[in-house]
Amino acid sequence: MEKDFKFIGDEQLLVIMTDDESKHSEVEGAFKEIYNRHSGKVHAYILKIIGDEDTTEDLFQDTFIRFYNRAKSGKHSNVIGFLITIARNLCLNHKRNKKQTVQIDEFEYLAYDTQNYDNKELLDLIERSMDLLEDDYREAFVLREYTGLNYDEISEIMNITTINARSKVFRAKKKIKEILKPYLNDISKI
Amino acid sequence: MNTERLIHDYIDGTLEHTQEEQLFMSLSSNDELRNEFRQQMAIKNAIQNDTKSFTPKAGSEAAIFGALGFSSGNAPIDIPKPAPSGFSRFWAKYSQGFIGGIAASVATILLMIGLNDNDDSNNQMADNSKPEYNKLNIEVPVSESYADNKPISEEQFASNQIISTKDIFTGGFNGFGLLQPDYNSINKRNIEAINRSEMVNNYYPVSFDYNEHERLIHTDISSYSGINKHNLSIEIHGNNFFSNKSENIKPSETQPFNNFGATVFYKLNNEIKFGLGYQRENYYQTFIGVDNHGYLWEYEQKPNFQTFTLDFRYSPEYLSGKYLKPALQLSVGGNQAGPVGKAMIGSEIKINPYFNLMVGGNWSILGFHHQNRFFTSDKFGLYIGTGVNL
């Protein structure tokens, strides 16, 4: 009988994926289920850290291929943590080779037309304000808000304390709020 | 802690329960704070609706699967199938029971052949036979079940198959949709394992006291003179069950020989048999539980169980014919989740002095606990068995 992978936990899926006795169809099914569950979060993380869409797609593909190839190399109990760690290393390598620049002039247009914004516009503004955050604040914010990791997982991935992780997420949000203050004030009036 | 931080923690889902009151009091009396709350919520909502960020390009998916040698496409496509014919529907519904019955017959024949080959040793056993039918060495099964109050690891979660959860309490409460914990984390926090040894001690009937003066059905047992091996029989059976509740799920993995079982019967007289039964089966369970955040959840699962029963079969002689022997069977027992009761009405079909078939309608009920609440699950189905008289 064919397994219904939707009802199997992450850790067990990883076991199926790495078990030498698993059939090819089972390995494929387990991998695809993990992909289904976590691809959105991994993609969002890379996009928010890198910014560029084409590079994001490259790193995103590389992340899942490396995940598959490395899954057998050790015990990984936290699949999303494992995936994000791979994605993070790829992002760091990529950024090391490319100087990060912030387009301040582009951001200045935020001062115009504060009326009639919608959710998409607000999202766009948030994205641009995130570009102005320091790297570690942005990363902590993305890990919490986009990938939904808890603070213990964030602290492990970023190699910081849990308290520090909480503080970084809070300060990042505070900074974003400060940047978007004129727009957010309009929201409050609605 | 300032109120901005309190609001952040509240929306983040990390605010201590004791501080919520402080926050709500501040919010109720301060316009500025309410504005702050709206702004933080707006940011959170905007991020949650950022579908573009969460959606990889289709080309990426194909590239990944292609690189790993997997077929493109995420999941098998459900191709609409033509409506099955009458026979197909019948076969789909009852095939498991029929196949079970046929398999049981084959297994019984093989068993019979084996017993005949060892006739000498059987005679020796008869010489030394002692009543041992109340002794049962229960090997505690490797459980896939739960519904007690202890947490289990994520690894156990997979085999225990909590299938789905749905919020039945907070739908109207959380208008923002932000405070509901993550699907996976809810499952992890709330799954609870059964204490198997406790289950066996509490629920498994280890003895059965027969009291002639209090028996419900008065039957002549004056000729009873202890266990006689010629009154023993083995019945191997297959079942096809349907839950009385509408099932939304199925087990992620069906155990080998699911819906098969075997019962060793002792014939007390022509009307009454007692038996010890073993059955591999599923029960569809729904139950509610409260998580650490006070959310009430409804769980659904269909684990694999191994049920042990004590069986009582009554076949009134006045209803019995040359080939048919109508019977009522009542069973009590237990499995990994809790106590089990079964009732069956059917008929034995005599083939020859050694073989008989048993066909009947069976109803079963399982009782189980979760967080000190008691739940039941019942099912009904077809029973086909093959009996061999030893």
Side-chain angles (χ1 to χ4, degrees):
Chain A
M1 182 177 284
E2 213 168 275
K3 280 193 174 73
D4 199 341
F5 295 97
K6 283 179 188 164
F7 306 134
I8 299 177
D10 276 0
E11 201 172 342
Q12 191 64 24
L13 287 173
L14 205 53
V15 170
I16 294 170
M17 252 182 70
T18 54
D19 190 347
D20 290 333
E21 292 181 4
S22 294
K23 295 174 193 164
H24 181 75
S25 61
E26 290 176 327
V27 173
E28 180 175 345
F31 176 81
K32 285 183 174 179
E33 183 56 34
I34 287 175
Y35 178 88
N36 276 347
R37 287 182 195 175
H38 302 301
S39 59
K41 294 173 185 174
V42 174
H43 187 269
Y45 170 80
I46 298 171
L47 183 63
K48 295 303 162 192
I49 297 300
I50 296 297
D52 173 62
E53 287 187 23
D54 289 337
T55 309
T56 294
E57 296 306 322
D58 290 343
L59 297 182
F60 171 75
Q61 292 171 25
D62 215 1
T63 299
F64 272 92
I65 291 168
R66 285 184 187 216
F67 164 76
Y68 178 81
N69 291 331
R70 289 183 187 174
K72 283 191 175 181
S73 64
K75 275 201 167 185
H76 308 281
S77 56
N78 184 343
V79 170
I80 181 63
F82 183 30
L83 279 164
I84 293 292
T85 302
I86 295 170
R88 184 172 193 257
N89 289 335
L90 289 170
C91 289
L92 288 174
N93 287 341
H94 176 80
K95 287 170 85 172
R96 209 171 285 146
N97 299 326
K98 188 183 176 186
K99 194 180 175 185
Q100 183 79 357
T101 55
V102 177
Q103 305 289 331
I104 296 292
D105 344 341
E106 278 183 30
F107 190 76
E108 282 174 353
Y109 93 97
L110 298 180
Y112 303 105
D113 190 17
T114 59
Q115 303 298 317
N116 301 323
Y117 58 83
D118 55 16
N119 193 62
K120 188 175 176 303
E121 191 174 349
L122 176 63
L123 187 59
D124 194 30
L125 301 180
I126 291 169
E127 280 180 16
R128 288 169 182 279
S129 60
M130 278 168 58
D131 287 342
L132 297 178
L133 298 175
E134 289 173 41
D135 284 354
D136 51 345
Y137 284 87
R138 180 169 66 242
E139 183 172 25
F141 183 78
V142 169
L143 286 171
R144 179 65 185 160
E145 300 296 337
Y146 281 86
T147 68
L149 296 185
N150 63 41
Y151 288 109
D152 288 336
E153 291 168 326
I154 294 171
S155 64
E156 198 174 320
I157 286 170
M158 293 184 68
N159 200 22
I160 56 178
T161 65
T162 306
I163 293 170
N164 201 356
R166 288 177 73 116
S167 175
K168 281 185 190 298
V169 173
F170 174 66
R171 287 183 188 170
K173 194 192 272 185
K174 196 172 179 177
K175 179 80 176 166
I176 290 169
K177 268 176 51 218
E178 280 169 16
I179 296 168
L180 299 179
K181 200 168 185 181
Y183 304 91
L184 292 172
N185 283 341
D186 285 340
I187 290 173
S188 305
K189 290 173 193 165
I190 294 173
Chain B
M1 190 183 287
N2 65 36
T3 44
E4 186 186 0
R5 183 67 186 253
L6 285 179
I7 292 169
H8 165 81
D9 286 352
Y10 179 74
I11 292 172
D12 197 42
T14 53
L15 185 65
E16 295 289 330
H17 190 66
T18 51
Q19 292 178 309
E20 278 185 14
E21 212 170 310
Q22 183 193 341
L23 173 65
F24 293 150
M25 282 179 68
S26 305
L27 282 171
S28 65
S29 59
N30 191 326
D31 272 349
E32 215 168 294
L33 281 181
R34 284 200 289 273
N35 286 341
E36 170 69 27
F37 188 87
R38 284 192 201 101
Q39 290 175 4
Q40 291 201 30
M41 285 305 305
I43 292 173
K44 184 91 180 180
N45 277 338
I47 290 171
Q48 285 204 327
N49 292 319
D50 184 5
T51 50
K52 187 187 157 198
S53 294
F54 289 103
T55 312
K57 286 183 179 169
S60 287
E61 183 180 302
I64 292 168
F65 292 171
L68 299 176
F70 298 151
S71 60
S72 288
N74 224 331
I77 301 167
D78 287 330
I79 301 168
K81 293 174 185 169
S85 64
F87 176 76
S88 299
R89 281 200 301 273
F90 175 81
W91 181 246
K93 201 169 182 181
Y94 297 107
S95 58
Q96 201 177 357
F98 279 118
I99 292 169
I102 291 166
S105 304
V106 172
T108 309
I109 291 165
L110 291 174
L111 184 66
M112 189 65 188
I113 292 167
L115 288 173
N116 284 338
D117 285 347
N118 295 317
D119 215 25
D120 290 344
S121 58
N122 282 342
N123 288 337
Q124 284 176 350
M125 282 173 67
D127 294 336
N128 300 321
S129 62
K130 290 177 183 173
E132 288 189 339
Y133 55 98
N134 277 341
K135 282 187 188 175
L136 181 63
N137 294 323
I138 304 165
E139 189 175 334
V140 179
V142 178
S143 172
E144 292 182 353
S145 180
Y146 50 86
D148 207 331
N149 294 315
K150 297 183 178 61
I152 63 171
S153 67
E154 187 184 1
E155 192 171 16
Q156 285 172 292
F157 156 68
S159 59
N160 285 341
Q161 303 162 25
I162 281 271
I163 305 297
S164 67
T165 63
K166 53 187 174 185
D167 190 342
I168 60 173
F169 182 65
T170 58
F173 167 70
N174 183 3
F176 300 110
L178 294 174
L179 307 180
Q180 294 172 13
D182 177 74
Y183 173 89
N184 287 326
S185 61
I186 272 293
N187 279 340
K188 288 176 205 165
R189 276 201 298 274
N190 286 277
I191 294 165
E192 289 156 356
I194 191 160
N195 182 330
R196 292 189 287 273
S197 59
E198 186 177 90
M199 180 282 295
V200 172
N201 291 335
N202 287 346
Y203 299 124
Y204 195 82
V206 292
S207 66
F208 186 88
D209 295 322
Y210 181 79
N211 185 333
E212 184 185 347
H213 302 293
E214 293 178 2
R215 68 187 191 272
L216 296 174
I217 301 163
H218 290 271
T219 307
D220 180 14
I221 59 168
S222 56
S223 60
Y224 174 67
S225 58
I227 296 286
N228 180 334
K229 95 176 184 80
H230 298 295
N231 289 334
L232 286 173
S233 62
I234 295 177
E235 187 168 291
I236 296 173
H237 47 86
N239 298 79
N240 196 16
F241 281 118
F242 308 94
S243 172
N244 280 339
K245 292 174 183 169
S246 176
E247 295 183 34
N248 302 313
I249 52 171
K250 57 184 179 180
S252 68
E253 190 168 6
T254 305
Q255 61 187 336
F257 299 105
N258 197 41
N259 284 328
F260 278 83
T263 306
V264 177
F265 279 109
Y266 181 75
K267 189 166 95 175
L268 196 63
N269 55 42
N270 283 337
E271 293 189 317
I272 292 178
K273 285 179 178 176
F274 290 107
L276 290 173
Y278 169 76
Q279 167 94 34
R280 299 166 80 88
E281 59 185 341
N282 306 113
Y283 283 89
Y284 172 68
Q285 296 173 285
T286 62
F287 53 98
I288 58 172
V290 180
D291 70 10
N292 296 334
H293 298 275
Y295 288 84
L296 187 64
W297 293 84
E298 183 180 15
Y299 300 86
E300 301 170 53
Q301 61 173 347
K302 195 172 179 184
N304 295 314
F305 290 112
Q306 297 180 75
T307 303
F308 293 87
T309 53
L310 277 173
D311 305 311
F312 166 78
R313 182 177 289 177
Y314 175 58
S315 310
E317 278 213 285
Y318 64 90
L319 291 177
S320 300
K322 188 177 178 185
Y323 297 108
L324 294 181
K325 195 174 180 185
L328 165 72
Q329 182 170 313
L330 301 173
S331 308
V332 291
N335 59 32
Q336 296 96 318
V340 169
K342 293 174 186 256
M344 178 171 70
I345 294 177
S347 179
E348 288 184 1
I349 303 167
K350 295 175 208 167
I351 307 288
N352 62 37
Y354 300 104
F355 286 104
N356 66 275
L357 295 178
M358 176 73 198
V359 179
N362 187 293
W363 176 80
S364 303
I365 185 165
L366 165 71
F368 58 97
H369 286 87
H370 180 73
Q371 293 180 339
N372 298 322
R373 293 184 182 88
F374 184 72
F375 302 91
T376 60
S377 168
D378 66 325
K379 60 181 184 178
F380 61 96
L382 182 69
Y383 177 108
I384 300 176
T386 303
V388 180
N389 298 316
L390 303 179

